[in-house]
Amino acid sequence: METKTITKSQIREAVEQTYAECKGIQGGKNADYIPYLANIDPELFGISLTLPDGTTYAVGDTEYKFGIESVSKVLTAILVLKQYGAEAVLKQIGADATGLPFNSIFAILLENDHPSTPLVNAGAITACSMVQPQGDSWGKWEAIINNFRDLCATESEVIDELYRSESDTNFNNRSIAWLLKNYGRIYDDVPMSLDLYTRQCSVGITARQLGVCAATIANGGKNPVTGVQVFAPELAPKITTLISSVGFYQNTGDWLYTSGIPAKSGVGGGVLGVLPGVFGIAAFAPPLDPAGNSVRAQAAVKSVMSKLGLGVFDGVAVNVSDE
Ligand code: GLU
């Protein structure tokens, strides 16, 4: 297989130039169905890229804590993959793209034997119901938030105002949770499972933390900053497959086709991208396109990939050199 060498300074320049070029991109609109998100400064913008040796290139608002929202689904999917294994997750949740919006009830009716994938609302609520220890809300939350810390290398916590805002308005997710219960796909108490899901979506996270989490996945489960093997290497391709197939909901095919990197978005404006063996990248900017994906963060991740001439399906081995 052909090997392509890129240097660290090329990567740094790609991130810095991308920031300068994408900063002025307008368009899109903050999520407004969760009141807290509607009021976040739409000009915020940051990019953070972490290599398997822990080197991080971060520009812009990479220390700002924004709502992790749907990107949390990736982290908790990893937790249930760790706790149950890849086979059981396939059996109890599924791994199929729905091709429908993230919060689709129709998707559940169409696939009444599965919540589809842990990366849409339905499957993510099911994943929260599976988190061990069963029946223990506090113990489950500890497992979720400790897993966030292990993947991101630093602690994070719930933004209380966001949590209240989501809890007061999550009527659609309540319908999803009870409909799943009807199909026998909630494996613990229903309100508890929904509350854990809402809580994990309300965690404040920085682009730097998400970049480290992405790099942990790209690095076969070993956190490049702490050196800890957070999950087994054989689970890394499973989680990257889930991200590839549904990370941008109904726009996932277009995203992968045009960007060349599996990535997961959240309505808080975050995008987490995984280039296996090479790097993890995160970008953040609040205004979203109609499918709920950050306009500037998408442009930024695409731009870094194209400046470096990389793509997950290129069939070349990538070597990052120090020079
Ligand atoms: N908390 C949001 C919801 O459940 C997350 C959605 C998203 O980021 O796509 O509606």
Side-chain angles (χ1 to χ4, degrees):
M1 187 191 276
E2 188 196 327
T3 299
K4 176 180 171 123
T5 298
I6 48 172
T7 64
K8 284 188 174 175
S9 49
Q10 281 177 307
I11 297 177
R12 182 176 43 73
E13 274 164 29
V15 171
E16 285 172 2
Q17 282 174 10
T18 291
Y19 178 76
E21 287 167 17
C22 294
K23 197 168 161 41
I25 293 178
Q26 297 297 321
K29 164 165 156 315
N30 286 25
D32 55 10
Y33 74 101
I34 299 169
Y36 175 93
L37 297 178
N39 298 320
I40 303 294
D41 177 1
E43 296 303 324
L44 287 163
F45 178 42
I47 311 169
S48 189
L49 183 152
T50 296
L51 297 172
D53 70 0
T55 306
T56 295
Y57 302 108
V59 277
D61 301 306
T62 51
E63 301 300 332
Y64 180 86
K65 286 184 190 299
F66 58 94
I68 187 170
E69 297 298 341
S70 266
V71 184
S72 67
K73 292 165 178 159
V74 172
L75 287 71
T76 299
I78 290 172
L79 179 60
V80 294
L81 280 166
K82 273 176 83 168
Q83 292 186 335
Y84 290 81
E87 249 334 285
V89 168
L90 182 65
K91 222 167 129 226
Q92 291 185 240
I93 303 178
D96 245 343
T98 67
L100 289 164
F102 62 91
N103 54 1
S104 176
I105 287 177
F106 194 46
I108 304 170
L109 298 171
L110 286 175
E111 297 210 30
N112 63 19
D113 60 342
H114 274 98
S116 311
T117 154
L119 301 194
V120 298
N121 287 21
I125 296 168
T126 298
C128 285
S129 81
M130 287 171 70
V131 169
Q132 295 165 4
Q134 285 293 295
D136 172 3
S137 161
W138 180 245
K140 284 164 88 95
W141 177 247
E142 287 270 279
I144 290 170
I145 201 73
N146 287 345
N147 178 56
F148 276 40
R149 178 202 57 212
D150 294 346
L151 290 165
C152 300
T154 45
E155 305 274 349
S156 51
E157 55 188 20
V158 168
I159 302 172
D160 286 330
E161 200 187 331
L162 175 56
Y163 172 59
R164 279 197 301 276
S165 188
E166 292 216 26
S167 301
D168 288 349
T169 54
N170 64 350
F171 309 113
N172 190 80
N173 287 339
R174 291 181 214 180
S175 313
I176 289 175
W178 284 108
L179 188 56
L180 287 172
K181 172 74 177 170
N182 183 53
Y183 290 124
R185 291 290 175 184
I186 294 287
Y187 305 106
D188 205 335
D189 181 71
V190 176
M192 183 213 285
S193 304
L194 177 63
D195 181 60
L196 287 165
Y197 168 75
T198 310
R199 199 182 283 242
Q200 75 171 22
C201 286
S202 311
V203 165
I205 204 87
T206 66
R208 179 181 287 269
Q209 286 178 303
L210 279 190
V212 173
C213 176
T216 303
I217 302 168
N219 197 30
K222 184 172 180 180
N223 186 312
V225 172
T226 63
V228 173
Q229 188 73 44
V230 182
F231 59 88
E234 60 267 25
L235 294 179
K238 298 298 181 205
I239 192 69
T240 311
T241 301
L242 294 173
I243 295 171
S244 306
S245 58
V246 76
F248 273 65
Y249 303 116
Q250 68 272 38
N251 284 3
T252 304
D254 288 352
W255 166 261
L256 202 51
Y257 193 92
T258 53
S259 70
I261 182 169
K264 179 77 198 85
S265 67
V267 294
V271 168
L272 164 153
V274 178
L275 195 60
V278 187
F279 59 64
I281 184 169
F284 154 66
L288 311 177
D289 67 14
N293 303 315
S294 167
V295 172
R296 231 176 290 137
Q298 289 183 76
V301 174
K302 274 187 191 172
S303 158
V304 170
M305 291 299 290
S306 103
K307 283 185 193 307
L308 294 172
L310 298 174
V312 71
F313 299 122
D314 287 357
V316 294
V318 179
N319 170 45
V320 177
S321 77
D322 280 331
E323 288 311 305

